[in-house]
Amino acid sequence: MQPLIRNLAIIAHVDHGKTTLVDLLLRAGGDLNARDDAEERVMDSMDLEREKGITIRAKNTAVHWRACTINIVDTPGHADFGGEVERVMKMVEGVLLVVDAVEGPQAQTRFVLRKAFQQGLRPVVVINKIDRPQADPRRVHNEVLELFLELDATDEQFHAAFLYGSARDGWFSRSPDEPSRDIVPLLETILEQVPPPKIEAGAPFRMLVSNIDWDDYVGRVAIGKIESGSVRRGEILHRLRPGGARDSARITRVVEFASLRTRDCETANAGNIVGIAGFEDVEIGETLAADPEAQPLPFVSIDPPTVQMDFSVNDSPFAGREGKYVTSRQIRDRLARETKTNISIRITDAEQAGVFRVSARGAMQIAVLVEQMRREGYELLVSSPSVITREVDGRSLEPFETLYVEVPEAHLNAVLKSLGSRRARIESMHSRSGHCRMEAVIPTRGLIGFQFDLLNQTAGTGVCSHLFREYAPHCGPIATRQTGTLVSTETGTAMAYSLGALEERGRLFVRPGDPVYEGQVIGENPRGDDLPVNPTKAKHVTNHRSQGDGKAIQLSTPIEFSLERAIEYIASDELIEVTPAGLRLRKRVLCPHERRRQRKRDVVNA
Ligand code: GDP
């Protein structure tokens, strides 16, 4: 008899308890041994994800309960990963929506839930944390139903099963008033409500590669749901590539998911989500099949990289002080490692030695990589992002995206204005229950910095996501940063005395005591030009005490940039120095004379 299988995607706003819930499910199935793995948290393996409140890359795990395998796929919540969400939704037959019983459903889950509904998936809703004193499960239940209506749920989706309980305390029940002792009601509901995968009986093995993993022993592992048939380790499979090319290879490994790891198996059957190794350079979107004549399965295409940034060795005066890995070799190896599993990032050598060009689906995606490297101890310089243009028949084409934005109506005007200045063209707009949903076409250039603006303009309630649309003729200039900079002329320590005077010129990025160097950008000049300043001057000590001398200088808090913000902020003649200790903004060319000469050359060449 074939084992029972259920495939679920899990959707939750950060901190609503997804990790705690998945751990609990794994324990119920005996997949997570409390002794060994108590400290490990399954879905939340990246610190960075916790902070950002998003899942960066989809991950799989599986719960084995009674005779059933419940595969659980995490969903990425980041706007740069729209295509990935669609691929996840195509692998599963149901979604588990986890909602906090106090906070209710949050904006960030709307996009992913909409994609799930569009695929016709049936949700199971878990209202978690009902142990919290302010919990109001009935109100939250209604809020979830309202959200379903807004997202055009079908009748069947609207009549989703709801469970109430506390992942922390280890129980879920079908009624908020009758606590249960365990999570059996939740597991039973999943088995009842989520349909088993549809399988074409008797058909030979076929699987669409929906994700890629990397294993140090067997190399690339193709992950996907088996559509039909079964696969056995050691057998020969054929690979059908989207362009029509075909080849074959012997399968070296077949793995199922289990808790924090994968588990080798001899065979795997239709409906299961598994990993298959054997094709060295397998890619997402390819079909693996037993029959060499098989038709490829349809797939959601991977968006091409549209944005690039240069990474290089830190050559600032403080280079090597704060980082563990600082050489060009170390940076190159780290980037090479990234490309093994991160399918949407590409690395090439730039014209200049020691400079690596990193291309991706959006600036945020690259920012995530830089932030990971920083935390691992790397030190490097990164440039401002630029879009990847194409030259076709002598015309310059640039990438455009379809942008989905959802904002409360109260903030609509500000958002429309920002979209207008970014040359977005609104294609449709719908309002429901005070929420406005828009679809627009926007040049990828116009997206850089948009998410940050959106959050600012909507007090954090706006959400957006984007999908690559096409390359089309360049659509004209977009106003970039209007302000200039305050650039340090000295290397030394920033002094309160001089910073106090400089505050009159503009907003500062450094505080007293910070080491600074020549060419470092230490503040913003509200006028458009770059102003050389000396932040290291100390007050002359004299024998005559003048009035006010004893008073501490009151400085305003300097602007602190997050990496993402810094990436959006810097101009093309500036760089960000990234080290484990923090960020500094600097001019690409540190020496002021050389900068002036370069500017002149640029004018002549222009
Ligand atoms: P995630 O970000 O969605 O993965 O959420 P976590 O599982 O990490 O949970 C976020 C926080 O909520 C943690 O501090 C958990 O201990 C806590 N938490 C999770 N479930 C419950 C619950 O049922 N009740 C209470 N009171 N806290 C919970």
Side-chain angles (χ1 to χ4, degrees), residues 15-20 41 50 128-129 131 166-168:
D15 260 0
H16 283 196
K18 175 177 71 184
T19 312
T20 315
R41 294 161 53 91
R50 285 200 64 67
N128 186 30
K129 307 200 190 181
D131 59 279
S166 166
R168 191 196 63 184

Side-chain angles (χ1 to χ4, degrees), residues 232-247:
R232 177 177 291 278
R233 182 164 55 132
E235 88 177 89
I236 303 279
L237 283 187
H238 303 276
R239 171 168 66 149
L240 326 175
R241 310 171 78 166
R246 292 171 183 235
D247 61 357

Side-chain angles (χ1 to χ4, degrees), residues 215 217-218 233-234 251-255 262 264-265 275-278:
D215 178 290
Y217 295 102
V218 292
R233 182 164 55 132
I251 298 313
T252 51
R253 195 164 184 187
V254 179
V255 297
T262 52
D264 279 86
C265 49
I276 294 180

Side-chain angles (χ1 to χ4, degrees), residues 81-272:
F81 297 76
E84 198 161 325
V85 172
E86 268 178 54
R87 283 196 294 276
V88 168
M89 294 306 164
K90 284 211 171 5
M91 265 201 289
V92 299
E93 288 77 35
V95 290
L96 192 65
L97 174 67
V98 184
V99 184
D100 185 309
V102 178
E103 292 182 12
Q106 301 286 304
Q108 285 77 355
T109 52
R110 296 169 66 92
F111 166 71
V112 185
L113 198 56
R114 179 193 304 287
K115 290 268 177 213
F117 281 178
Q118 282 166 352
Q119 287 295 320
L121 300 177
R122 200 188 294 184
V124 169
V125 184
V126 170
I127 299 195
N128 186 30
K129 307 200 190 181
I130 73 165
D131 59 279
R132 288 178 68 184
Q134 318 89 313
D136 189 348
R138 283 179 209 286
R139 172 184 51 88
V140 170
H141 180 137
N142 287 338
E143 287 174 4
V144 171
L145 291 182
E146 271 169 39
L147 174 65
F148 283 10
L149 275 181
E150 280 173 43
L151 298 179
D152 302 321
T154 61
D155 273 359
E156 190 189 62
Q157 287 163 339
F158 189 78
H159 290 107
F162 276 74
L163 286 118
Y164 311 83
S166 166
R168 191 196 63 184
D169 298 345
W171 63 272
F172 283 97
S173 131
R174 294 177 199 250
S175 155
D177 307 318
E178 291 165 31
S180 80
R181 268 180 301 160
D182 51 32
I183 59 160
V184 170
L186 171 59
L187 287 159
E188 284 176 348
T189 308
I190 292 173
L191 296 200
E192 276 161 32
Q193 294 290 321
V194 177
K198 282 202 199 76
I199 293 164
E200 211 186 317
F205 174 85
R206 270 202 311 174
M207 181 183 102
L208 177 68
V209 180
S210 300
N211 214 340
I212 299 282
D213 204 354
W214 174 262
D215 178 290
D216 282 338
Y217 295 102
V218 292
R220 282 191 150 209
V221 181
I223 295 170
K225 179 172 74 176
I226 304 178
E227 289 290 323
S228 57
S230 59
V231 59
R232 177 177 291 278
R233 182 164 55 132
E235 88 177 89
I236 303 279
L237 283 187
H238 303 276
R239 171 168 66 149
L240 326 175
R241 310 171 78 166
R246 292 171 183 235
D247 61 357
S248 55
R250 190 174 295 283
I251 298 313
T252 51
R253 195 164 184 187
V254 179
V255 297
E256 288 181 327
F257 292 93
S259 167
L260 300 164
R261 327 187 163 80
T262 52
R263 191 158 66 191
D264 279 86
C265 49
E266 284 301 313
T267 58
N269 296 318
N272 207 357

